[in-house]
Amino acid sequence: MADRPPLPPFTRETAAQKVQAAEDAWNTRDPHKVALAYSEDSVWRNRDTFVTGRAEIVAFLTAKWERELEYALRKDLWAFDDNRIAVRFQYESRDTRGRWWRSYGNELWEFDEHGLMTRREASINDVSIEAEQRRILGPRPEAERGRTFPLR
């Protein structure tokens, strides 16, 4: 099994690197690429859905990005300790009827010694927005890396 650095125990710097790597991967909207960051037996709670293992993660993300078009995400490190990281995030997407949404959430992550995520718990709320209110217009530009994304 190949390591997926940075590895726990996390420092502020390595936890922030892990968060940015996750944001970058999710912004590709490639379920197979994203799933490689999770252990083979990773367990998720995403809103009211429970997912176990990479195959289910790929299926979940495939369906998600078929519903959530033009998905663009920002994640911020909230806290960390040893092999755990807490993240807050926002993303925007358009549904299949053309309506725009901003989704706010928090995630709790737990990693194994190889740097693979073994557990992910996400709580998410959606707010309807007008297209003119969008603030997340694709992957984070290099100049914005390391900055906290504003709540509003």
Side-chain angles (χ1 to χ4, degrees):
M1 175 181 302
D3 286 346
R4 189 129 178 142
L7 307 177
F10 296 113
T11 64
R12 176 165 295 286
E13 180 182 355
T14 60
Q17 290 170 359
K18 202 66 150 175
V19 171
Q20 187 62 58
E23 177 185 304
D24 292 343
W26 280 66
N27 275 324
T28 69
R29 297 180 295 228
D30 180 340
H32 296 281
K33 180 177 183 169
V34 173
L36 293 175
Y38 301 91
S39 66
E40 291 286 348
D41 59 351
S42 187
V43 176
W44 286 20
R45 181 190 58 77
N46 194 93
R47 301 176 192 246
D48 61 350
T49 301
F50 294 84
V51 176
T52 302
R54 282 192 186 152
E56 288 186 21
I57 290 169
V58 168
F60 174 85
L61 292 174
T62 299
K64 172 185 180 60
W65 290 321
E66 287 172 356
R67 287 187 316 274
E68 296 178 356
L69 308 173
E70 299 183 59
Y71 175 96
L73 167 72
R74 297 293 183 272
K75 290 184 182 281
D76 289 315
L77 174 64
W78 186 252
F80 68 95
D81 182 41
D82 191 37
N83 70 330
R84 293 180 174 156
I85 297 175
V87 174
R88 58 185 179 169
F89 64 89
Q90 297 175 46
Y91 68 85
E92 293 175 352
S93 63
R94 177 179 53 80
D95 65 26
T96 57
R97 297 189 320 179
R99 191 167 171 188
W100 282 95
W101 298 90
R102 183 174 303 128
S103 301
Y104 294 91
N106 302 295
E107 293 176 313
L108 303 175
W109 299 346
E110 186 172 63
F111 296 87
D112 66 15
E113 67 276 11
H114 301 286
L116 295 171
M117 194 181 303
T118 58
R119 185 171 179 163
R120 174 183 174 268
E121 297 185 33
S123 298
I124 307 167
N125 302 97
D126 304 308
V127 177
S128 177
I129 61 171
E130 298 299 322
E132 306 79 52
Q133 295 175 294
R134 292 180 58 213
R135 300 181 296 131
I136 307 172
L137 306 172
R140 188 184 298 246
E142 196 64 38
E144 291 180 15
R145 289 181 180 259
R147 290 186 178 169
T148 298
F149 196 73
L151 188 58
R152 295 180 184 220

